[in-house]
Amino acid sequence: MLWMYAVCALTMLICLPFFMHYKKALRYKLASAFKTLGTLGAASFALIAALRLDPRCWVCFAALMLHAAADWLLEFNLYWGEGFFLAGHICYIAFFTKLFPVSAVHVIAAVCFLGIIAYLFWRWRKTIGERMVHFALYAVVLALTTACAIGGLTGHTLQGQLIALGGALFFISDAFVLGRLLFTADRTVDWAVMILYYSAQLLIGISCLV
């Protein structure tokens, strides 16, 4: 248990501030290294769980490794980064539905999250412009991933609750990212995005151990 707290502290108190510092200093390679290291901390939870507790966690480990790769790539190429995030989300969908088979809760959650996305995209359609198809593809996969995470509540377990909370935080984080891409935002938004993102990944990683 102590090492789990240590990994979380490393991610939030070292990786996060150093990423923000080096990104502000325009030292993108160092920034990306610290950003990626934070996600690898969450991946370590899934790896240990896959080796010792539940082989299904290999899928979660794959998702987190893809997201770690995306963390690096995103600072240099938006499209490659999003591609790896998409692949990671698909692995998350496979992992979540393996643990908690699709139910009415999943469907209702999917409709709600897709509705939120449709509203935001309609409201910001002029600003999004020609990027609509590109953004919409990622957003739909994100909505389905989040719905599958919320479906974890059907298990009535701590694991399901951690996954549901992690999925919700991931959705909120990416909603902030969209707003930041479309409009002017200060560093407070950048901090909020990363705090939410790391919290989501850590919660999902920890869920493999409970």
Side-chain angles (χ1 to χ4, degrees), residues 1-12 37-62 64-65 92 95 159 162 198-210:
M1 185 66 71
L2 183 60
W3 67 269
M4 188 168 66
Y5 292 136
V7 170
C8 292
L10 174 68
T11 299
M12 303 302 286
L37 183 61
T39 304
L40 289 177
S44 71
F45 298 149
L47 176 60
I48 292 171
L51 290 170
R52 297 188 176 185
L53 301 174
D54 187 347
R56 293 176 297 181
C57 291
W58 282 114
V59 183
C60 184
F61 175 69
L64 284 162
M65 291 303 293
Y92 266 158
F95 176 61
Q159 181 183 42
L162 290 173
Y198 276 148
S199 297
Q201 299 286 43
L202 289 169
L203 286 169
I204 292 172
I206 291 170
S207 75
C208 294
L209 296 172
V210 300

Side-chain angles (χ1 to χ4, degrees), residues 14-61:
I14 296 179
C15 295
L16 173 56
F18 274 97
F19 162 66
M20 296 297 293
H21 169 74
Y22 284 119
K23 185 171 183 179
K24 182 180 180 181
L26 305 181
R27 301 180 67 179
Y28 294 114
K29 290 185 178 179
L30 273 174
S32 297
F34 279 104
K35 185 181 181 184
T36 302
L37 183 61
T39 304
L40 289 177
S44 71
F45 298 149
L47 176 60
I48 292 171
L51 290 170
R52 297 188 176 185
L53 301 174
D54 187 347
R56 293 176 297 181
C57 291
W58 282 114
V59 183
C60 184
F61 175 69

Side-chain angles (χ1 to χ4, degrees), residues 78-199:
L78 176 64
Y79 296 104
W80 275 101
E82 284 191 359
F84 273 81
F85 264 120
L86 277 175
H89 290 337
I90 291 170
C91 287
Y92 266 158
I93 290 172
F95 176 61
F96 298 155
T97 54
K98 187 75 172 178
L99 295 177
F100 310 102
V102 177
S103 66
V105 172
H106 291 74
V107 176
I108 294 170
V111 170
C112 291
F113 286 113
L114 287 170
I116 292 171
I117 287 171
Y119 170 74
L120 291 176
F121 275 47
W122 177 83
R123 184 172 181 179
W124 297 340
R125 62 191 183 281
K126 292 182 180 179
T127 308
I128 295 173
E130 295 180 354
R131 297 173 290 180
M132 180 64 74
V133 175
H134 164 219
F135 284 178
L137 173 62
Y138 178 85
V140 167
V141 175
L142 173 66
L144 295 177
T145 303
T146 309
C148 290
I150 296 298
L153 295 175
T154 61
H156 305 289
T157 61
L158 176 58
Q159 181 183 42
Q161 292 167 1
L162 290 173
I163 287 174
L165 179 57
L169 292 179
F170 210 129
F171 185 88
I172 296 170
S173 173
D174 274 0
F176 277 123
V177 170
L178 176 62
R180 185 181 62 186
L181 287 171
L182 299 177
F183 308 103
T184 303
D186 59 27
R187 280 177 59 80
T188 303
V189 175
D190 292 338
W191 278 95
V193 165
M194 290 307 301
I195 290 171
L196 290 167
Y197 172 70
Y198 276 148
S199 297

